[in-house]
Amino acid sequence: PDLSGRISRFDELIRTQAAAQDLDWRLVTALVYQESRFYPRAVSKAGARGLMQVMPDFAGPQVDSLFVPAANVRAGLRLLKGTWDGYAYLDSLEQIRFTLATYHAGIGHVTDARRMAMDLELDPNRWEGSLTETLPRLAQRRWYSQTRHGYYRGHETVRYVEEILNRYRMYRRLVPLDPDAAAPADSLTTAAADSAAFAALRDTEPPDEED
């Protein structure tokens, strides 16, 4: 973000649609950056498309619209909100972590990791020290052979969640939830340094394609 509080050219679109789903638009924006670097025509090797990397089978007959920013964000938020509501029984930070993990890995692999946590006498409702331990084990035969959904590169999901959270924390320091409000008071001393560090994150090229 820059000193004006602008993160990307899609701020207003994301803010409006996220508000309709009662989600913090800065969290959604951090996810969009992670998924597509704000590149609306991004396509992954798995076939996910657009700003929020929505899979075609989720979009149904409107699959071609996934390259249209408004349609893509609408579809992505529909999926994100359903996942978010499913974790409403968790505290706020864990709700964010589990929602992001499920958006990335899918409910099946996250469920496998939670079941493994229970088998290891860890808390299946906890991220740190629990799913951060079991998700990476889904890439090891001795562990994934006992799961329903099999092999998965869970360490990538752990990194995905932490990178989005770190960016979200940065956005919260620099950008108000309400664009008409003043920037957070504690952001003034760090704004210049943070803005310089994150200037390259706005309107950049799409990320390398991944599965």
Side-chain angles (χ1 to χ4, degrees), residues 138-177:
L138 295 178
Q140 303 171 30
R141 183 180 296 275
R142 63 169 294 200
W143 296 104
Y144 74 70
S145 62
Q146 303 174 44
T147 65
R148 179 176 180 182
H149 296 90
Y151 173 84
Y152 181 69
R153 297 187 300 273
H155 64 282
E156 295 181 1
T157 294
V158 173
R159 184 174 68 244
Y160 173 93
V161 170
E162 294 308 318
E163 288 180 356
I164 291 177
L165 271 177
N166 287 338
R167 187 168 291 105
Y168 174 47
R169 292 181 181 114
M170 179 72 70
Y171 290 167
R172 287 184 63 182
R173 286 204 301 272
L174 292 174
V175 183
L177 181 64

Side-chain angles (χ1 to χ4, degrees), residues 63-147:
V63 61
D64 290 339
S65 71
L66 290 179
F67 292 127
V68 177
N72 186 282
V73 171
R74 188 178 305 112
L77 279 174
R78 189 166 70 249
L79 176 60
L80 191 69
K81 175 63 170 176
T83 304
W84 175 264
D85 289 345
Y87 291 120
Y89 57 91
L90 300 176
D91 69 40
S92 58
L93 180 56
E94 299 292 37
Q95 186 179 19
I96 292 173
R97 286 166 162 164
F98 276 73
T99 297
L100 294 175
T102 302
Y103 192 89
H104 186 255
I107 188 64
H109 293 304
V110 172
T111 299
D112 283 346
R114 299 179 80 184
R115 288 172 176 160
M116 189 187 302
M118 289 187 283
D119 291 341
L120 295 172
E121 298 184 350
L122 301 173
D123 185 350
N125 294 326
R126 185 174 178 81
W127 181 255
E128 292 288 351
S130 185
L131 263 70
T132 57
E133 299 295 323
T134 58
L135 274 166
R137 297 188 188 202
L138 295 178
Q140 303 171 30
R141 183 180 296 275
R142 63 169 294 200
W143 296 104
Y144 74 70
S145 62
Q146 303 174 44
T147 65

